[in-house]
Amino acid sequence: PFIWNAIGGLEKSLRSGASTFALENHGSVFEYLLQHPEEARIFNEAMQAAPYSDPAIAQALNLSSAEVVVDIGGGSGNLLANILERVSHLRGVIYDLPSTENSAHRRMKALERRFNFISGNFFESIPACADTFILKRILHDWDDTSALQILSRVRDVLPREGKIFIIESLMNETRIEDVCKDLLMLVLSGGQERTLSEFDELVTKAGLSIASTHQVRGFTILECVHRQAGEHVLQHSALD
């Protein structure tokens, strides 16, 4: 219900450029969910209700040199479980709010020996315990300033040869579905859907470089590494 109520404030968001939900509830949608655990439970279940893309994403990720993967904002852990099931040498961490810990441990029951849950706030810190980090459908929740802050936090703990995988549905400004999703993000969280060029600009500002992109089941995987002076390379591939 809180999502439908927020949509009623679309005009106000368009005029102000800010999240109507945050203005009317005196806090972000994520703060609201922390204060309303039952709605948070329903929301988290809905986010995990259609994990059809996770096996394909897990298969597409280039993890041959990885040892420890942190799924930032990984929720109940479906993507990480698919990854650990495919790559037997990996250890995995979900870094998320405490409200998701129980569901994550349930999903990871068969993988507990290779899994850990760390609770925290990615605006405050990122656990420096891995060589690979995943941000699936995280950055679209935030405006450019906040998204840059998140990326910079991850970059600060990223080893020299480490990787960050940003997984998002790229914005196509000619598709009405994408425009509607973009407006929904604005109303709910002040966030936005982004084009590839907008992600490239954001990643560059964070001191990173997009080494390659892969299209998988409606998502695009941006493989990011530490930026080298003068480097600007984009390699594209599509996986159906």
Side-chain angles (χ1 to χ4, degrees):
F2 70 90
I3 293 179
W4 291 113
N5 292 338
I7 292 174
L10 175 59
E11 182 179 356
K12 187 182 294 185
S13 283
L14 289 173
R15 292 181 181 277
S16 67
S19 165
T20 303
F21 184 95
L23 293 173
E24 295 184 351
N25 290 276
H26 309 290
S28 72
V29 65
F30 303 103
E31 291 170 323
Y32 175 89
L33 291 173
L34 283 174
Q35 297 164 8
H36 298 81
E38 179 59 19
E39 289 192 71
R41 182 189 64 78
I42 296 171
F43 178 78
N44 288 329
E45 288 181 357
M47 292 299 98
Q48 300 296 325
Y52 66 92
S53 62
D54 286 343
I57 290 172
Q59 181 178 1
L61 292 174
N62 179 12
L63 298 170
S64 58
S65 62
E67 295 183 3
V68 181
V69 176
V70 174
D71 190 355
I72 299 170
S76 64
N78 193 70
L79 174 58
L80 184 61
N82 276 273
I83 291 171
L84 296 185
E85 287 163 358
R86 287 191 58 83
V87 188
S88 60
H89 73 271
L90 277 180
R91 290 178 290 127
V93 175
I94 288 179
Y95 182 61
D96 208 330
L97 298 174
S99 58
T100 66
E101 183 170 4
N102 288 339
S103 59
H105 278 290
R106 285 195 298 270
R107 178 63 178 89
M108 292 291 184
K109 186 174 182 180
L111 300 161
E112 282 287 349
R113 296 183 66 179
R114 296 161 54 208
F115 165 71
N116 190 24
F117 185 97
I118 300 176
S119 62
N121 183 328
F122 48 56
F123 285 111
E124 298 174 358
S125 65
I126 299 292
C129 62
D131 50 46
T132 304
F133 296 84
I134 295 172
L135 290 160
K136 181 188 176 191
R137 299 295 280 163
I138 299 298
L139 298 183
H140 80 140
D141 288 330
W142 306 98
D143 61 19
D144 283 346
T145 299
S146 298
L148 179 58
Q149 183 180 351
I150 296 168
L151 276 177
S152 298
R153 290 281 188 190
V154 182
R155 179 211 60 213
D156 288 345
V157 300
L158 184 69
R160 182 180 179 86
E161 302 300 325
K163 296 177 181 179
I164 302 171
F165 291 101
I166 299 171
I167 304 169
E168 296 278 354
S169 295
L170 294 186
M171 174 76 169
N172 181 339
E173 295 171 335
T174 65
R175 283 172 50 91
I176 186 63
E177 298 94 333
D178 289 4
V179 173
C180 289
K181 288 191 295 183
D182 188 45
L183 293 174
L184 178 61
M185 298 317 302
L186 171 63
V187 169
L188 280 180
S189 63
Q192 62 184 94
E193 305 293 348
R194 294 178 175 88
T195 63
L196 179 58
S197 62
E198 288 172 330
F199 270 113
D200 191 36
E201 182 178 356
L202 188 66
V203 164
T204 300
K205 287 180 179 178
L208 300 164
S209 177
I210 300 177
S212 66
T213 70
H214 307 275
Q215 295 178 10
V216 183
R217 298 286 180 89
F219 289 96
T220 298
I221 301 172
L222 309 178
E223 181 179 330
C224 303
V225 296
H226 279 290
R227 187 171 179 78
Q228 305 298 320
E231 180 185 20
H232 193 90
V233 179
L234 277 175
Q235 298 177 3
H236 305 269
S237 69
L239 299 175
D240 295 323

